[in-house]
């Protein structure tokens, strides 16, 4: 095992955590202490590319600067408190933060890639009716360090498996939380994911998924060239109001207009992924599929159909296979790129909407402290 916990335990709350800084931030940090700004690229490389968290191993940095960094800063990660691999190869980690909150990250291997699903908040405030994360309330935003540490840890822990082909090639911010309600920390973390001195993921391999925070979609488009996924789930406002309450604030017409503006700002060949959870008898008719075709007209689109992952007390059930097939066909016949997401990691509760961590709910909705469901077989 890599020894991040020793480092973590000795961290002091008052010292800056270098994981909170992207390269721009580190440049400012070094400028402040009278150092050359190229130190930022060196340190980013040591930490994120080489996985080195011991300053004394950063050999292209002078001894004096190493000592200074060691004395005045930390490189501090959450602690891995649970690590399980599903029978289908999906791997899930439960990470404990300094304040005792717990978050989850999931690694999903496929033939041609390995996708890491990253959390952006402890819990979620949006309360989408079909999502078990949302049902458990909201506690706080994750720091940039807590977001990028998920990538740092997964990269190293997957590497340790020494299995050919298993590596993090894609990152999706589709874990716990609404990334666009934690805008600045998410943007800094995404910059690191895409930085050639850090993880060097291309703009097609980093995806932010949002329930539709319209002003933040605009700001994101201004700042970054990257993938956007929008959790649509309904094609009219009345239904979407009930599934995704955020729709009352930013209704479909505004959301789709924001998607168009986002695409216009991106480099060529960009497209938006629309996620659509199929709920039996709620949003899964042929008529709904046809409306989806109309709604996405003129937007380069990939539709991601997600079979609902049921959980106790949700009040919804999964659409029958035949209806999923019909929904898919309507979209495909209209020339829309469509994929049906396979449910992965079911046996370790790693599937969509099942990332519940352990949340001390700060919203008024629920006041309770939940144990994670970690019963599993590997
Ligand atoms: N808040 C962001 C990202 C987190 S949710 C967003 O809404 O996009 C990641 C995806 O999982 C979303 O599309 C969400 O709607 C979906 N999801 C949530 N609960 C689900 C469930 N029970 N079954 C299937 N998908 C679910």
């Amino acid at each position: 095992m890599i020894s991040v916990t020793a480092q973590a335990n000795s961290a002091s709350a008052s010292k800056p955590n270098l994981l909170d800084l992207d390269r721009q931030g580190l440049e400012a940090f070094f400028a402040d202490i009278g150092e050359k700004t190229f130190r930022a690229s060196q340190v980013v490389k040591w930490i994120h590319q080489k996985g080195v968290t011991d300053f004394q191993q950063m050999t292209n940095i002078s001894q004096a600067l190493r000592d200074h960094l060691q004395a005045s800063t930390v490189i501090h990660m959450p602690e891995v408190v649970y690590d399980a691999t599903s029978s289908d190869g999906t791997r899930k980690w439960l990470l404990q933060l300094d304040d005792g909150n717990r978050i989850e990250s999931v690694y999903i291997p496929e033939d041609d890639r390995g996708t890491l699903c990253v959390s952006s908040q402890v819990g979620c405030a949006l309360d989408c009716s079909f999502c078990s994360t949302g049902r458990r309330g909201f506690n706080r935003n994750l720091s940039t360090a807590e977001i990028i540490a998920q990538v740092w840890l997964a990269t190293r822990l997957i590497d340790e498996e020494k299995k050919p082909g298993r590596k993090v090639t894609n990152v999706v911010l589709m874990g716990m939380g609404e990334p666009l309600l934690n805008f600045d920390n998410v943007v800094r973390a995404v910059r690191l994911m895409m930085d050639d001195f850090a993880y060097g993921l291309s703009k097609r391999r980093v995806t932010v998924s949002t329930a539709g925070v319209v002003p933040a979609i605009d700001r994101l488009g201004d700042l970054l060239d990257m993938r956007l996924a929008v959790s649509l789930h309904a094609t009219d406002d009345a239904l979407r109001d009930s599934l995704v309450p955020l729709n009352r604030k930013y209704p479909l017409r505004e959301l789709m207009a924001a998607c168009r503006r986002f695409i216009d700002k991106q480099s060529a060949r960009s497209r938006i992924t629309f996620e659509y959870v199929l709920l039996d008898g709620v949003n899964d008719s042929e008529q709904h599929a046809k409306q989806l075709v109309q709604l996405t007209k003129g937007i380069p689109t990939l539709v991601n159909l997600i079979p609902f992952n049921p959980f106790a007390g949700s009040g919804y059930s999964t659409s029958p296979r035949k209806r999923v097939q019909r929904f898919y066909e309507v979209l495909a016949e209209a020339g829309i790129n469509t994929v049906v997401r396979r449910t992965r990691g079911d046996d370790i509760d790693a599937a969509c909407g099942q990332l519940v961590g352990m949340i001390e709910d700060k919203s008024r909705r629920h006041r309770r402290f939940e144990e994670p469901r970690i019963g599993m077989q590997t």
Side-chain angles (χ1 to χ4, degrees):
M1 271 299 271
I2 40 182
S3 60
V4 285
T5 42
Q7 185 91 22
N9 291 339
S10 64
S12 143
S14 57
K15 295 180 186 174
N17 186 357
L18 295 190
L19 290 185
D20 272 318
L21 303 176
D22 58 12
R23 189 145 52 91
Q24 281 171 291
L26 272 171
E27 281 174 2
F29 168 84
F30 281 114
D32 265 0
I33 60 170
E35 282 286 336
K36 294 274 191 312
T37 51
F38 72 82
R39 296 287 175 215
S41 318
Q42 292 178 318
V43 168
V44 163
K45 239 177 164 167
W46 279 114
I47 298 175
H48 295 285
Q49 218 173 67
K50 301 185 184 162
V52 169
T53 57
D54 174 0
F55 291 111
Q56 296 307 329
Q57 285 179 35
M58 301 185 180
T59 45
N60 58 358
I61 293 173
S62 72
Q63 187 62 49
L65 182 55
R66 282 185 236 167
D67 292 344
H68 175 76
L69 291 174
Q70 189 166 338
S72 59
T73 70
V74 291
I75 299 169
H76 179 52
M77 315 261 168
E79 188 184 348
V80 179
V81 290
Y82 176 75
D83 179 343
T85 304
S86 159
S87 52
D88 67 16
T90 301
R91 190 166 166 188
K92 171 169 120 167
W93 297 278
L94 194 59
L95 306 180
Q96 177 142 319
L97 312 177
D98 293 350
D99 60 4
N101 275 303
R102 290 174 172 191
I103 54 159
E104 301 181 7
S105 325
V106 180
Y107 174 75
I108 307 144
E110 283 167 287
D111 293 343
D112 56 342
R113 70 186 116 164
T115 302
L116 183 69
C117 181
V118 164
S119 295
S120 57
Q121 298 181 314
V122 182
C124 187
L126 294 184
D127 205 19
C128 297
S129 60
F130 52 88
C131 177
S132 83
T133 303
R135 293 254 176 131
R136 286 161 195 250
F138 172 74
N139 185 287
R140 67 169 174 86
N141 282 332
L142 295 184
S143 64
T144 299
E146 289 163 339
I147 299 169
I148 203 64
Q150 296 172 63
V151 183
W152 192 99
L153 285 163
T155 302
R156 267 84 228 171
L157 292 166
I158 294 287
D159 228 37
E160 277 186 354
E161 292 180 359
K162 304 233 177 299
K163 289 197 191 119
R166 266 174 81 91
K167 74 191 230 197
V168 177
T169 63
N170 294 58
V171 176
V172 293
L173 282 116
M174 286 184 193
M176 290 165 67
E178 168 51 51
L180 294 190
L181 292 180
N182 183 15
F183 193 85
D184 294 340
N185 292 342
V186 163
V187 163
R188 266 192 294 272
V190 165
R191 283 209 168 106
L192 280 167
M193 293 170 203
M194 295 174 48
D195 187 340
D196 283 341
F197 289 99
Y199 300 92
L201 300 178
S202 78
K203 57 184 183 248
R204 288 193 308 278
R205 294 182 177 273
V206 183
T207 303
V208 164
S209 179
T210 180
V213 189
V214 164
I217 292 175
D218 285 328
R219 282 173 68 204
L220 188 73
D222 290 339
L223 287 177
L224 293 172
D225 197 359
M226 66 177 306
R227 274 271 156 100
L228 181 70
V230 173
S231 293
L232 203 57
H233 311 318
T235 50
D236 65 85
D237 281 321
L239 181 57
R240 197 164 190 270
D241 282 352
S242 72
L243 300 177
V244 182
L246 183 69
N247 194 69
R248 294 177 205 145
K249 194 161 181 191
Y250 305 114
L252 277 169
R253 204 149 62 94
E254 288 179 30
L255 176 57
M256 301 315 283
C259 290
R260 291 191 168 83
R261 290 193 294 273
F262 185 87
I263 282 293
D264 285 344
K265 291 174 197 163
Q266 301 295 298
S267 54
R269 292 200 303 126
S270 189
R271 66 183 177 189
I272 291 187
T273 301
F274 289 101
E275 296 159 277
Y276 197 100
V277 174
L278 289 161
L279 304 163
D280 185 16
V282 175
N283 66 352
D284 62 347
S285 71
E286 211 172 306
Q287 193 55 30
H288 288 122
K290 287 179 182 157
Q291 285 167 0
L292 185 51
V293 173
Q294 290 307 315
L295 197 63
T296 54
K297 269 233 156 85
I299 303 177
T301 292
L302 172 72
V303 171
N304 201 332
L305 296 176
I306 313 175
F308 172 64
N309 290 312
F311 56 93
S314 73
Y316 296 109
S317 39
T318 313
S319 300
R321 190 181 287 256
K322 249 173 63 188
R323 205 145 349 111
V324 175
Q325 182 61 26
R326 188 60 207 133
F327 203 99
Y328 171 87
E329 282 165 9
V330 171
L331 297 175
E333 281 160 16
I336 296 184
N337 275 317
T338 307
V339 292
V340 180
R341 191 182 288 174
R342 272 189 305 150
T343 294
R344 303 288 302 266
D346 240 0
D347 51 343
I348 53 168
D349 281 347
C352 296
Q354 293 186 334
L355 302 183
V356 294
M358 186 161 81
I359 303 153
E360 193 187 359
D361 182 17
K362 290 264 173 75
S363 62
R364 270 183 285 272
R365 199 158 2 103
H366 320 258
R367 286 234 170 256
R368 63 184 184 205
F369 206 66
E370 301 240 16
E371 281 297 327
R373 291 182 296 149
I374 52 175
M376 59 104 208
Q377 285 189 312
T378 50

